[in-house]
């Protein structure tokens, strides 16, 4: 199956996948296949010194990412903070990332391609593709990787939003249950019960949902027969 056909197949799979992490796993798998690479994965950053690798085809991807943090250099980090795409077809000879290049050469990596994962509103990280041979990625590969990243970003953002909405619905349900418990216990109305929850949340420096959940759990525990 050629690159464009595999890309279309991936897009259909991503559209039907509601799990954000599963989306990233699928994208990593397809990136390796479509570009004829040896490894692929996703890097997400909280800062240049704090990252996570939520999806990777092998553990070597995690090592390559951590080396970028260690040396504070590399195409995957730069794809997040610099230009949208970086490619190197000889990690050892590339002057941009001398320390990282020498280190990942020891892992067997010779070529690397990093592409930013971002919408117009926010960035999510980078899609990173590795090959054991030098000269692995040409301009067609770069364009395919950028299309992969665009599909991945859209699917991940959609899945993450859906999970967030579900979590919000569940949180509202728990808060509502806690309000009901307080209304019954103290003979107060819904607004007073919510204010009670909010004051505890502020005093204990905890999320409102956490306070509400604790009240519901305690009520259920007390309601169980001995």
């Amino acid at each position: 199956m050629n690159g464009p056909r595999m890309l279309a197949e991936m897009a259909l799979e991503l559209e039907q996948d509601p799990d954000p992490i599963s989306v990233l796993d699928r994208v990593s798998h397809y990136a390796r296949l479509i570009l004829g690479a040896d490894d692929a994965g996703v890097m997400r950053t909280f800062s240049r010194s704090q990252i996570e690798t939520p999806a990777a085809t092998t553990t070597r991807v995690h090592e390559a990412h951590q080396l970028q943090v260690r040396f504070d250099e590399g195409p995957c980090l730069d794809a997040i903070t610099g230009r949208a795409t970086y490619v190197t077809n000889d990690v050892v000879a590339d002057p941009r990332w001398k320390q990282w290049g020498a280190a990942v050469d020891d892992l067997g990596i010779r070529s690397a391609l990093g592409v930013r994962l971002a919408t117009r509103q926010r960035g999510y990280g980078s899609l990173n593709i590795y090959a054991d041979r030098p000269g692995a990625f040409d301009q067609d590969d770069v364009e395919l990787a950028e299309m992969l990243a665009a599909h991945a970003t859209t699917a991940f953002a959609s899945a993450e939003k859906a999970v967030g909405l579900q979590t919000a619905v569940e949180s509202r349900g728990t808060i509502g249950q806690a309000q009901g418990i307080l209304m019954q216990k103290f003979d107060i109305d819904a607004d007073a019960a919510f204010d009670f929850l909010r004051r505890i949340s502020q005093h204990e420096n905890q999320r409102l949902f956490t306070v509400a959940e604790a009240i519901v759990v305690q009520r259920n525990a007390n309601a169980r027969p001995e």
Side-chain angles (χ1 to χ4, degrees), residues 63-82:
E63 296 177 67
H65 287 176
Q66 289 299 327
L67 285 169
Q68 294 192 45
V69 173
R70 176 181 172 186
F71 297 116
D72 192 27
E73 64 177 40
C76 314
L77 275 178
D78 285 353
I80 295 171
T81 60

Side-chain angles (χ1 to χ4, degrees), residues 80-222:
I80 295 171
T81 60
R83 296 196 315 269
T85 303
Y86 286 85
V87 60
T88 176
N89 275 309
D90 190 343
V91 296
V92 177
D94 198 316
R96 293 172 294 180
W97 310 296
K98 291 183 178 180
Q99 296 181 91
W100 178 78
V104 293
D105 179 52
D106 290 339
L107 298 178
I109 293 172
R110 293 298 303 276
S111 298
L113 173 57
V115 185
R116 184 181 303 159
L117 298 172
T119 64
R120 292 180 180 178
Q121 288 74 37
R122 61 174 290 192
Y124 292 95
S126 60
L127 171 64
N128 310 299
I129 306 158
Y130 300 107
D132 296 349
R133 62 193 186 282
F137 305 121
D138 58 20
Q139 186 56 37
D140 288 341
D141 292 320
V142 171
E143 291 174 5
L144 276 172
E146 290 173 343
M147 285 190 282
L148 271 164
H151 282 297
T153 302
T154 300
F156 180 78
S158 177
E160 190 175 59
K161 182 179 180 181
V163 169
L165 289 173
Q166 181 61 35
T167 300
V169 169
E170 292 172 356
S171 296
R172 285 198 296 271
T174 301
I175 291 169
Q177 288 182 60
Q179 280 180 274
I181 292 168
L182 294 172
M183 289 166 66
Q184 183 181 35
K185 182 174 182 178
F186 298 113
D187 192 22
I188 55 179
D189 63 19
D191 289 340
F194 185 82
D195 285 341
F196 185 86
L197 287 170
R198 183 171 50 81
R199 286 196 302 272
I200 297 175
S201 171
Q202 293 171 346
H203 183 265
E204 300 294 334
N205 194 27
Q206 293 183 329
R207 293 170 56 222
L208 189 67
F209 170 74
T210 302
V211 173
E213 186 178 42
I215 291 172
V216 172
V217 168
Q218 184 63 41
R219 171 62 177 271
N220 291 340
N222 292 338

